[in-house]
């Protein structure tokens, strides 16, 4: 049941030679919705597309189908241009940055792409323009003048996403609807539909001007499209939400769809009249599946123009359905070429977060890098998301539910079964089997074992049936049922008694149970590959082992006789617990940590991080200039006795104290600032203004101890004088900021010290001497999350000061 190869560390590595369709085999082309590149993916994005597709791709490989999984970042369009404007960057820089972030998140989540590419490639331009030219030749495109918002301030036409306003849909009235779609009600819009429209960049009201554009004539393609939808939705077993959405579009009547935009960042339109325009992102984005495949192999047409031999499976969230069931297939049908059209579409509803909705734009929920930064293993995240997969209705992520599923299903059921079996086999020969799989002779006539084999065989058949229909949640549930059967089998057999009273029967039971352990590693590999790798390691199989459930290898039949799965005499490895309990205090910590808006992932966080970087660079330059000045003018330094003392910049000159925030509120005249009242051990609390709104929710600022720099010169910030500075750490990629936390029992007002530096702090730091700017270069959090000056910890009478999760971050 296993001989394919993976990477030595267990990670999936695509073959060095690209796969091509093989005559006589089942050839499956898998795609997931291309994640947009202007933000970090949250858990709702991950389960809605890439993780679901990964499970199916892994299942296909498990069955020895010839399958490839194509995905990548969607990089063109208004959102990228807008993000670049906001960050004073170029669209390419934005794409490079977030493509790398996406890649790292998916790598941590064990997503096994055969190719993870991007749409801003020469191949995308080539394929997209070729499809356009065919549509033009076949007269499926028309020219028309449309009214579009024009911003007199920005001096340009505003594409859909550059316009915001009130949603016109009755009963919605969402005040931040985009010009292409309302995020709240999901209605597709035109910018001119919005009430009270405003430019996203300058916030001024745009005027309406005429502009010429190209349109895809969907009404003329309706007959071709309906024939495809009617046939394939049945043959491919489309999910009901996909069928419902598609039929709604067809019933309402298809309309011309504009395919060009007045932008610079996109695929250029290969037409003289429209050469200053680019293709609308929803025309070119689905073509990205094709261009990414063309980056994978120059023989991409063997996958994409081979409907007789290739099945196309596509995974996405419900908001993407019409683009994949109406617009993209109409585009391909209009070329007149023999395209591989989608056979099966698997669509998820929304995964909501605790009391609200996941939102990239608002930063609500748990994001991919958040999951990575917790101590919860990836197999737990994958399991929870997949058991909670919103297949027919919206589902809810909650920390309490994650805890319950980990502790009761993974730990007490699955982990307990595997550990019980392997630990008993690993016992010394006096009380176990000395790590050797025992003989299973007589298993066929052992009633309890034979009955188990029949049950397991039925479960495996049900598992395959569910997975073939892309009912992933059901497939996972069935696999976990086998673990439950295994636990019941152990209890009913009372193997611990059999070992003393009937060793041959005990050997049958333990050999069978060990076979179930291997079978579970096989069935659960698509869902929790890291779990399967660890089980194989404990079973003492080489790292390159890949489990299999292929018909041609007899794996299905073997599963009905689990005592035959592992050969007698095989020596297992060292058993160890597979899962760790998630405790109440950890759940509460995560609930608080991710409560409210995770605004440290939005534009303002990036802007603040840039300020921090600029100040650090200035401090470094200042320090270098001082050293150079001292080296070239030694006599001048000696001639000024007091100046030489002043030049001795030491950490002891800072007055850092333990403070307690007694009150925090938003600054009345600045959206990004808090105003805090902080007790630092003086007669009156100090007023402090902090730029932390975009990083830390207001509720987390209340009644908490912080480290406060008390001897900076007071400064007025938007009309309020700030009398100190709260110290915080910023992550190296500038996506997170956390407060430096004194120990729980540290005394309010006590001074934070540094071993070996006992001097008296300045009353007020002289801004001209750059004391603070020089010292902050060496303030950081270390790998143990301790706040440090160089390698010296921030120290109080109750212990050292720390940060929650940012290691090797800069402190200011």
């Amino acid at each position: 049941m296993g001989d394919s190869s993976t990477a030595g560390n267990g990670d999936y590595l695509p073959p060095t030679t690209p796969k091509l369709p093989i005559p006589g085999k089942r050839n499956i082309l898998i795609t997931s919705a291309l994640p947009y590149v202007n933000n970090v993916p949250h858990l709702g994005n991950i389960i809605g597309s890439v993780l679901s597709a990964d499970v199916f791709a892994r299942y296909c490989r498990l069955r020895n189908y010839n399958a490839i999984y194509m995905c990548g970042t969607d990089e063109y369009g208004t959102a990228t241009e807008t993000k670049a404007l906001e960050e004073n960057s170029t669209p390419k820089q934005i794409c490079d940055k977030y493509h790398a972030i996406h890649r790292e998140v998916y790598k941590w989540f064990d997503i096994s792409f055969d190719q993870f590419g991007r749409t801003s490639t020469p191949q995308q331009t080539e394929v997209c323009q070729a499809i356009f030219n065919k549509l033009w030749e076949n007269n499926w495109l028309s020219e028309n003048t449309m009214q579009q918002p024009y911003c007199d301030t920005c001096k340009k036409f505003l594409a859909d996403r550059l316009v915001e306003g009130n949603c016109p849909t009755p009963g919605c009235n969402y005040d931040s609807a985009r010009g292409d779609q309302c995020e709240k009600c999901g209605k597709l819009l035109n910018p001119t539909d919005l009430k009270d429209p405003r430019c996203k960049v300058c916030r001024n009201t745009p005027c309406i001007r005429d502009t010429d554009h190209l349109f895809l004539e969907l009404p003329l393609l309706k007959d071709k499209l309906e024939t495809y939808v009617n046939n394939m939705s049945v043959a491919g077993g489309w999910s009901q939400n996909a069928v419902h959405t598609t039929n709604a579009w067809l019933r309402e009547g298809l309309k011309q769809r504009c395919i060009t935009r007045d932008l610079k960042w996109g695929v250029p339109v290969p037409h003289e009249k429209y050469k200053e325009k680019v293709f609308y992102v929803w025309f070119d984005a689905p073509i990205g599946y094709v261009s990414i495949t063309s980056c994978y192999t120059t023989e991409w047409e063997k996958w994409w123009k081979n409907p007789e031999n290739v099945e196309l499976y596509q995974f996405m969230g419900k908001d993407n359905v019409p683009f994949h069931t109406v617009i993209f297939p109409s585009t391909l049908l209009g070329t007149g070429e023999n395209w591989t059209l989608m056979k099966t579409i698997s669509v998820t509803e929304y995964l909501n977060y605790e009391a609200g909705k996941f939102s990239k734009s608002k930063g609500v929920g748990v994001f991919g890098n958040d999951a990575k930064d917790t101590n919860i293993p990836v197999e737990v995240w994958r399991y929870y998301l997949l058991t909670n997969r919103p297949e027919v209705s919206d589902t809810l992520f909650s920390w309490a539910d994650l805890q319950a599923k980990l502790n009761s299903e993974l730990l007490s059921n699955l982990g307990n079964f595997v550990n019980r079996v392997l630990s008993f086999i690993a016992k010394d020969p006096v009380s176990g089997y000395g790590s050797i799989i025992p003989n299973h002779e007589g298993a066929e006539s052992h009633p309890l074992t034979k009955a188990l084999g029949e049950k397991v065989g039925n479960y495996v058949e049900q598992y395959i049936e569910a997975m073939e229909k892309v009912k992933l949640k059901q497939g996972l549930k069935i696999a976990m049922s086998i673990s439950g059967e295994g636990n019941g089998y152990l209890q009913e057999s009372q193997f611990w008694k059999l070992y003393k009273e009937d060793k041959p029967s005990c050997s049958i039971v333990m050999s069978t149970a060990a076979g179930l352990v291997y079978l579970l590693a096989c069935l659960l590999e698509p869902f929790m590959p890291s779990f399967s790798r660890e089980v194989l390691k404990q079973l003492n199989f080489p790292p390159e082992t890949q489990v299999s459930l292929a018909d041609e290898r007899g794996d299905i039949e073997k599963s009905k006789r689990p005592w035959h799965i592992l050969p007698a005499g095989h020596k297992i490895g060292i058993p160890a617990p597979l899962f760790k309990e998630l405790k109440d205090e950890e759940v509460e910590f995560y609930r608080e940590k991710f409560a409210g808006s995770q605004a440290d992932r939005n534009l303002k966080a990036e802007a603040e991080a840039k300020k921090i970087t600029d100040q650090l660079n200035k401090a470094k330059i200042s320090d270098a200039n001082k050293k150079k000045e001292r080296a070239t003018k030694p006599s001048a330094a000696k001639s000024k006795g007091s100046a030489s003392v002043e030049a001795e910049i030491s950490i002891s000159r800072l007055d850092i104290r333990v403070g307690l925030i007694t009150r925090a509120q938003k600054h009345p005249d600045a959206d990004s600032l808090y105003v805090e009242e902080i007790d630092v051990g003086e007669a009156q609390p100090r007023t402090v203004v902090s730029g932390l709104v975009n990083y830390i929710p207001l509720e987390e600022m209340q009644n908490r101890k912080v480290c406060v720099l008390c001897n900076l010169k007071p400064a007025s910030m938007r009309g309020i004088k700030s009398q100190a500075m709260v110290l915080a750490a910023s992550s190296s990629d500038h996506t997170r900021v956390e407060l430096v936390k004194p120990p729980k029992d540290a005394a309010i007002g006590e001074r934070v010290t540094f071993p070996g530096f006992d001097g008296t702090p300045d009353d007020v730091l002289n801004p001209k001497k750059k004391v603070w700017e020089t010292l902050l270069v060496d303030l950081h959090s270390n790998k143990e999350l301790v706040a440090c000056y160089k390698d010296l910890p921030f120290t109080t009478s109750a212990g050292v000061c720390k940060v929650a999760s940012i290691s090797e971050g800069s402190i200011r």
Side-chain angles (χ1 to χ4, degrees), residues 14-31:
T16 52
T17 301
K19 294 180 185 177
L20 294 175
I22 300 171
K25 287 207 72 168
R26 192 169 175 196
N27 302 296
I28 299 180
L29 172 58
I30 301 164
T31 73

Side-chain angles (χ1 to χ4, degrees), residues 251-314:
R251 277 196 309 271
E252 290 174 11
L254 299 179
K255 300 176 178 62
Q256 291 178 326
R257 190 76 182 180
C258 186
I259 66 167
T260 54
R261 284 293 181 268
D262 290 295
L263 293 172
K264 297 298 182 186
W265 182 244
V267 174
V269 179
H271 188 291
E272 184 61 28
K273 181 178 176 181
Y274 299 96
K275 63 183 180 181
E276 297 300 320
K277 301 180 190 288
V278 300
F279 287 117
Y280 174 38
V281 68
W282 271 114
F283 175 78
D284 90 273
I287 296 172
Y289 303 128
V290 183
S291 74
I292 290 168
T293 310
S294 76
C295 294
Y296 172 71
T297 173
T298 56
E299 298 181 85
W300 60 271
E301 290 186 349
K302 291 184 177 179
W303 284 105
W304 280 101
K305 294 183 179 180
N306 189 4
E308 297 79 13
N309 296 302
V310 175
E311 302 168 59
L312 173 58
Y313 283 72
Q314 298 195 291

Side-chain angles (χ1 to χ4, degrees), residues 348-368:
T348 57
E349 300 291 313
Y350 290 134
L351 175 70
N352 294 320
Y353 179 69
E354 292 281 345
K357 182 180 177 182
F358 276 97
S359 171
K360 283 197 298 183
S361 60
K362 296 180 181 178
V364 174
V366 180
F367 288 69

Side-chain angles (χ1 to χ4, degrees), residues 417-455:
F417 172 68
V418 174
N419 196 249
R420 256 180 114 184
V421 173
L422 300 188
S423 294
F424 189 80
I425 293 173
K427 286 183 177 181
D428 63 72
V430 176
S431 53
Y433 292 93
S435 297
I436 303 298
I437 299 295
N439 198 304
H440 56 260
E441 188 175 344
E444 301 278 1
S445 57
H446 189 263
L448 186 63
T449 300
K450 187 177 180 183
L452 175 73
E454 290 174 357
K455 283 183 183 177

